[in-house]
Amino acid sequence: MPDPANSDIRQLHRVDLRVGETGAGDPDAPSRIAAVIDVETTGLNQETDNVIELAVRRFRFDPGGHIVEIGRSWCWREDPGVPLSHDITRITGITNQDLSGHRIDNYLATQIIASADLVIAHNASFDRPMVEKRLTNLPRKQWACSCQEIDWISAGFEGRSLGWLCAQAGWFYDAHRAQGDVDAVIQLLRHERTDGRPLLYELDDKSSSYSYLFEAVGSAFSTKDMLRMRGYRWDPKEQVWWREVFEADFVAEQSWLEIEVYAHDKGARAMGPRVTRRDAYSRYR
């Protein structure tokens, strides 16, 4: 963070989590276990690309969102059976030689993640499908997304990219490697808001709430720009614009769609959106 003696200088510290490290919480209070995961893959296509690196670290936290104990870090690599693209090697630093002959320990990785009450990823909509595709025996778990389920703006941050968030909090790490990304997420979750509550408290509270997937079925082509500006994304497989909001924004989203997409003069081919209620078990799949 900025040096109080000189606002033109900012000092960053390397993220360095230690096994058994404790925080400000009460170690004797009722606690739960979370597992933060991250993957590196051969590409961004969830159906055709494969995991080449999987990292996970568990921690124990109290009802106030304070991390009271940090577990060891686990990281596996896997040979995808095809050469990596130059872009993946450039971004991750992982080479074909690094992966040759390596396999993820299916049993151990599954057992570690399954032991957690909550699974956290910074981009859960990507990581969850990739992890569940690779670890086919992983039981149904509660998932949370630190990118989407924390109000970073109200917490005093700009943007949502992991590296930039860490830098604003005074930290740096080896980005675009699964193990470094996992530790960076944990470090950020310990960051306290102005009310003294760690960001983990907000994430845990938000993840336990219902969310609603709005799919603008039958929307007219002429409304696509408005949908995009509203935060909707195009699903090429389902051929529909979609957006997910939490309970607090449900009524506002429904009203906006009625006026801007499904009003009689908007040309929609349906009477309204398709709405699906989801929870931490069903989100990000």
Side-chain angles (χ1 to χ4, degrees):
M1 300 299 285
D3 187 334
N6 188 341
S7 60
D8 293 331
I9 297 175
R10 170 170 290 189
Q11 186 176 25
L12 302 181
H13 299 272
R14 177 179 288 277
V15 174
D16 185 21
L17 304 184
R18 305 295 177 90
V19 176
E21 183 178 349
T22 59
D26 180 0
D28 297 322
S31 63
R32 295 157 62 208
I33 294 175
V36 178
I37 63 101
D38 188 74
V39 295
E40 300 299 335
T41 63
T42 55
L44 300 178
N45 190 312
Q46 295 172 341
E47 295 184 359
T48 60
D49 286 309
N50 298 304
V51 175
I52 57 175
E53 190 173 59
L54 167 65
V56 58
R57 191 195 282 264
R58 292 174 295 183
F59 61 81
R60 191 161 56 90
F61 64 104
D62 68 13
H66 299 96
I67 295 176
V68 298
E69 183 182 7
I70 294 177
R72 65 161 289 184
S73 177
W74 298 87
C75 188
W76 300 272
R77 292 178 179 174
E78 180 155 286
D79 188 341
V82 295
L84 299 179
S85 70
H86 293 299
D87 285 341
I88 293 299
T89 296
R90 175 179 55 82
I91 293 170
T92 66
I94 299 173
T95 66
N96 293 309
Q97 185 177 0
D98 293 332
L99 302 177
S100 180
H102 287 277
R103 291 287 291 173
I104 293 171
D105 187 327
N106 292 341
Y107 177 79
L108 184 56
T110 298
Q111 291 300 307
I112 290 170
I113 298 173
S115 70
D117 301 294
L118 180 67
V119 182
I120 302 170
H122 195 65
N123 186 11
S125 61
F126 180 79
D127 290 72
R128 178 173 186 174
M130 296 301 292
V131 169
E132 291 184 338
K133 183 177 77 168
R134 179 60 189 82
L135 302 177
T136 56
N137 291 324
L138 189 67
R140 192 165 174 257
K141 305 297 296 182
Q142 291 181 296
W143 282 74
C145 181
S146 54
C147 180
Q148 299 295 330
E149 296 178 29
I150 293 175
D151 188 346
W152 291 105
I153 294 177
S154 70
F157 291 82
E158 296 177 357
R160 293 182 179 180
S161 68
L162 189 56
W164 178 223
L165 290 171
C166 267
Q168 292 173 82
W171 303 94
F172 75 96
Y173 67 101
D174 297 325
H176 301 299
R177 292 298 299 273
Q179 194 167 1
D181 288 353
V182 163
D183 285 359
V185 170
I186 295 175
Q187 185 65 53
L188 280 171
L189 293 178
R190 297 201 290 187
H191 184 83
E192 294 184 353
R193 299 173 63 104
T194 55
D195 62 5
R197 288 180 172 178
L199 292 175
L200 176 59
Y201 180 87
E202 177 184 349
L203 177 65
D204 185 39
D205 181 64
K206 193 73 169 286
S207 70
S208 65
S209 302
Y210 286 116
S211 62
Y212 296 86
L213 177 67
F214 282 87
E215 295 175 282
V217 294
S219 59
F221 182 79
S222 59
T223 61
K224 66 179 178 62
D225 291 335
M226 294 184 63
L227 286 163
R228 184 186 294 110
M229 291 178 62
R230 181 72 176 181
Y232 280 75
R233 299 170 63 183
W234 176 249
D235 183 337
K237 184 177 180 180
E238 298 295 330
Q239 294 287 294
V240 67
W241 289 94
W242 67 272
R243 184 188 185 199
E244 188 163 5
V245 303
F246 282 84
E247 287 181 292
D249 298 317
F250 175 81
V251 174
E253 197 61 32
Q254 195 171 45
S255 298
W256 184 87
L257 284 166
E258 288 176 357
I259 296 170
E260 302 296 344
V261 177
Y262 294 103
H264 73 279
D265 60 341
K266 297 298 182 179
R269 301 183 305 279
M271 295 181 65
R274 181 167 59 232
V275 182
T276 306
R277 189 173 75 167
R278 306 207 289 187
D279 58 16
Y281 287 101
S282 56
R283 273 193 293 271
Y284 310 120
R285 301 190 74 178

PDB file of all heavy atoms in Angstrom, residues 134-146:
ATOM      1  N   ARG A 134     -12.647 -33.026 -15.377  1.00  0.00           N
ATOM      2  CA  ARG A 134     -11.425 -33.817 -15.146  1.00  0.00           C
ATOM      3  C   ARG A 134     -11.566 -34.784 -13.979  1.00  0.00           C
ATOM      4  O   ARG A 134     -11.135 -35.943 -14.065  1.00  0.00           O
ATOM      5  CB  ARG A 134     -10.243 -32.855 -14.879  1.00  0.00           C
ATOM      6  CG  ARG A 134      -8.925 -33.557 -14.600  1.00  0.00           C
ATOM      7  CD  ARG A 134      -8.507 -34.425 -15.778  1.00  0.00           C
ATOM      8  NE  ARG A 134      -7.360 -35.257 -15.456  1.00  0.00           N
ATOM      9  CZ  ARG A 134      -7.427 -36.407 -14.802  1.00  0.00           C
ATOM     10  NH1 ARG A 134      -8.614 -36.869 -14.404  1.00  0.00           N
ATOM     11  NH2 ARG A 134      -6.347 -37.113 -14.555  1.00  0.00           N
ATOM     12  N   LEU A 135     -12.182 -34.353 -12.881  1.00  0.00           N
ATOM     13  CA  LEU A 135     -12.362 -35.206 -11.706  1.00  0.00           C
ATOM     14  C   LEU A 135     -13.810 -35.698 -11.698  1.00  0.00           C
ATOM     15  O   LEU A 135     -14.674 -35.117 -11.041  1.00  0.00           O
ATOM     16  CB  LEU A 135     -12.039 -34.440 -10.423  1.00  0.00           C
ATOM     17  CG  LEU A 135     -10.624 -33.848 -10.346  1.00  0.00           C
ATOM     18  CD1 LEU A 135     -10.449 -33.049  -9.052  1.00  0.00           C
ATOM     19  CD2 LEU A 135      -9.554 -34.937 -10.450  1.00  0.00           C
ATOM     20  N   THR A 136     -14.063 -36.745 -12.411  1.00  0.00           N
ATOM     21  CA  THR A 136     -15.434 -37.184 -12.658  1.00  0.00           C
ATOM     22  C   THR A 136     -16.131 -37.740 -11.422  1.00  0.00           C
ATOM     23  O   THR A 136     -17.361 -37.851 -11.413  1.00  0.00           O
ATOM     24  CB  THR A 136     -15.452 -38.248 -13.773  1.00  0.00           C
ATOM     25  OG1 THR A 136     -14.582 -39.337 -13.393  1.00  0.00           O
ATOM     26  CG2 THR A 136     -14.959 -37.653 -15.083  1.00  0.00           C
ATOM     27  N   ASN A 137     -15.382 -38.096 -10.384  1.00  0.00           N
ATOM     28  CA  ASN A 137     -15.989 -38.621  -9.162  1.00  0.00           C
ATOM     29  C   ASN A 137     -16.143 -37.564  -8.073  1.00  0.00           C
ATOM     30  O   ASN A 137     -16.494 -37.891  -6.931  1.00  0.00           O
ATOM     31  CB  ASN A 137     -15.156 -39.787  -8.614  1.00  0.00           C
ATOM     32  CG  ASN A 137     -15.221 -41.008  -9.509  1.00  0.00           C
ATOM     33  OD1 ASN A 137     -16.268 -41.293 -10.102  1.00  0.00           O
ATOM     34  ND2 ASN A 137     -14.114 -41.726  -9.626  1.00  0.00           N
ATOM     35  N   LEU A 138     -15.895 -36.300  -8.413  1.00  0.00           N
ATOM     36  CA  LEU A 138     -16.027 -35.241  -7.421  1.00  0.00           C
ATOM     37  C   LEU A 138     -17.495 -35.063  -7.040  1.00  0.00           C
ATOM     38  O   LEU A 138     -18.352 -34.884  -7.912  1.00  0.00           O
ATOM     39  CB  LEU A 138     -15.489 -33.917  -7.986  1.00  0.00           C
ATOM     40  CG  LEU A 138     -15.368 -32.749  -7.006  1.00  0.00           C
ATOM     41  CD1 LEU A 138     -14.286 -33.040  -5.967  1.00  0.00           C
ATOM     42  CD2 LEU A 138     -15.033 -31.463  -7.749  1.00  0.00           C
ATOM     43  N   PRO A 139     -17.821 -35.141  -5.750  1.00  0.00           N
ATOM     44  CA  PRO A 139     -19.224 -34.981  -5.347  1.00  0.00           C
ATOM     45  C   PRO A 139     -19.702 -33.551  -5.550  1.00  0.00           C
ATOM     46  O   PRO A 139     -18.904 -32.624  -5.701  1.00  0.00           O
ATOM     47  CB  PRO A 139     -19.214 -35.363  -3.861  1.00  0.00           C
ATOM     48  CG  PRO A 139     -17.813 -35.086  -3.414  1.00  0.00           C
ATOM     49  CD  PRO A 139     -16.936 -35.392  -4.591  1.00  0.00           C
ATOM     50  N   ARG A 140     -21.010 -33.392  -5.557  1.00  0.00           N
ATOM     51  CA  ARG A 140     -21.621 -32.072  -5.724  1.00  0.00           C
ATOM     52  C   ARG A 140     -21.261 -31.197  -4.532  1.00  0.00           C
ATOM     53  O   ARG A 140     -21.508 -31.570  -3.377  1.00  0.00           O
ATOM     54  CB  ARG A 140     -23.130 -32.234  -5.828  1.00  0.00           C
ATOM     55  CG  ARG A 140     -23.892 -31.013  -6.272  1.00  0.00           C
ATOM     56  CD  ARG A 140     -25.290 -31.425  -6.688  1.00  0.00           C
ATOM     57  NE  ARG A 140     -26.139 -30.283  -6.994  1.00  0.00           N
ATOM     58  CZ  ARG A 140     -27.070 -29.815  -6.183  1.00  0.00           C
ATOM     59  NH1 ARG A 140     -27.271 -30.404  -5.008  1.00  0.00           N
ATOM     60  NH2 ARG A 140     -27.820 -28.787  -6.526  1.00  0.00           N
ATOM     61  N   LYS A 141     -20.648 -30.051  -4.797  1.00  0.00           N
ATOM     62  CA  LYS A 141     -20.180 -29.171  -3.739  1.00  0.00           C
ATOM     63  C   LYS A 141     -20.762 -27.772  -3.899  1.00  0.00           C
ATOM     64  O   LYS A 141     -21.253 -27.395  -4.958  1.00  0.00           O
ATOM     65  CB  LYS A 141     -18.641 -29.060  -3.762  1.00  0.00           C
ATOM     66  CG  LYS A 141     -17.892 -30.383  -3.683  1.00  0.00           C
ATOM     67  CD  LYS A 141     -18.162 -31.109  -2.382  1.00  0.00           C
ATOM     68  CE  LYS A 141     -17.652 -30.350  -1.169  1.00  0.00           C
ATOM     69  NZ  LYS A 141     -17.881 -31.091   0.086  1.00  0.00           N
ATOM     70  N   GLN A 142     -20.663 -26.986  -2.829  1.00  0.00           N
ATOM     71  CA  GLN A 142     -20.996 -25.564  -2.905  1.00  0.00           C
ATOM     72  C   GLN A 142     -19.798 -24.815  -3.480  1.00  0.00           C
ATOM     73  O   GLN A 142     -18.666 -24.989  -3.005  1.00  0.00           O
ATOM     74  CB  GLN A 142     -21.327 -25.024  -1.514  1.00  0.00           C
ATOM     75  CG  GLN A 142     -22.621 -25.558  -0.935  1.00  0.00           C
ATOM     76  CD  GLN A 142     -22.892 -24.961   0.435  1.00  0.00           C
ATOM     77  OE1 GLN A 142     -22.144 -25.173   1.393  1.00  0.00           O
ATOM     78  NE2 GLN A 142     -23.964 -24.216   0.545  1.00  0.00           N
ATOM     79  N   TRP A 143     -20.053 -23.988  -4.489  1.00  0.00           N
ATOM     80  CA  TRP A 143     -18.992 -23.221  -5.134  1.00  0.00           C
ATOM     81  C   TRP A 143     -19.243 -21.728  -4.941  1.00  0.00           C
ATOM     82  O   TRP A 143     -20.385 -21.280  -4.895  1.00  0.00           O
ATOM     83  CB  TRP A 143     -18.934 -23.534  -6.629  1.00  0.00           C
ATOM     84  CG  TRP A 143     -18.257 -24.833  -6.948  1.00  0.00           C
ATOM     85  CD1 TRP A 143     -18.755 -26.095  -6.754  1.00  0.00           C
ATOM     86  CD2 TRP A 143     -16.961 -24.999  -7.529  1.00  0.00           C
ATOM     87  NE1 TRP A 143     -17.852 -27.034  -7.177  1.00  0.00           N
ATOM     88  CE2 TRP A 143     -16.745 -26.399  -7.668  1.00  0.00           C
ATOM     89  CE3 TRP A 143     -15.977 -24.114  -7.962  1.00  0.00           C
ATOM     90  CZ2 TRP A 143     -15.570 -26.924  -8.208  1.00  0.00           C
ATOM     91  CZ3 TRP A 143     -14.806 -24.630  -8.514  1.00  0.00           C
ATOM     92  CH2 TRP A 143     -14.606 -26.026  -8.623  1.00  0.00           C
ATOM     93  N   ALA A 144     -18.146 -20.983  -4.864  1.00  0.00           N
ATOM     94  CA  ALA A 144     -18.214 -19.524  -4.783  1.00  0.00           C
ATOM     95  C   ALA A 144     -17.191 -18.932  -5.739  1.00  0.00           C
ATOM     96  O   ALA A 144     -16.134 -19.530  -5.982  1.00  0.00           O
ATOM     97  CB  ALA A 144     -17.953 -19.053  -3.359  1.00  0.00           C
ATOM     98  N   CYS A 145     -17.492 -17.752  -6.258  1.00  0.00           N
ATOM     99  CA  CYS A 145     -16.589 -17.076  -7.201  1.00  0.00           C
ATOM    100  C   CYS A 145     -16.123 -15.764  -6.595  1.00  0.00           C
ATOM    101  O   CYS A 145     -16.921 -14.839  -6.406  1.00  0.00           O
ATOM    102  CB  CYS A 145     -17.301 -16.825  -8.532  1.00  0.00           C
ATOM    103  SG  CYS A 145     -16.256 -16.020  -9.763  1.00  0.00           S
ATOM    104  N   SER A 146     -14.838 -15.672  -6.304  1.00  0.00           N
ATOM    105  CA  SER A 146     -14.311 -14.450  -5.697  1.00  0.00           C
ATOM    106  C   SER A 146     -14.306 -13.286  -6.672  1.00  0.00           C
ATOM    107  O   SER A 146     -14.267 -12.122  -6.256  1.00  0.00           O
ATOM    108  CB  SER A 146     -12.888 -14.689  -5.160  1.00  0.00           C
ATOM    109  OG  SER A 146     -12.048 -15.205  -6.183  1.00  0.00           O
TER     110      SER A 146
END
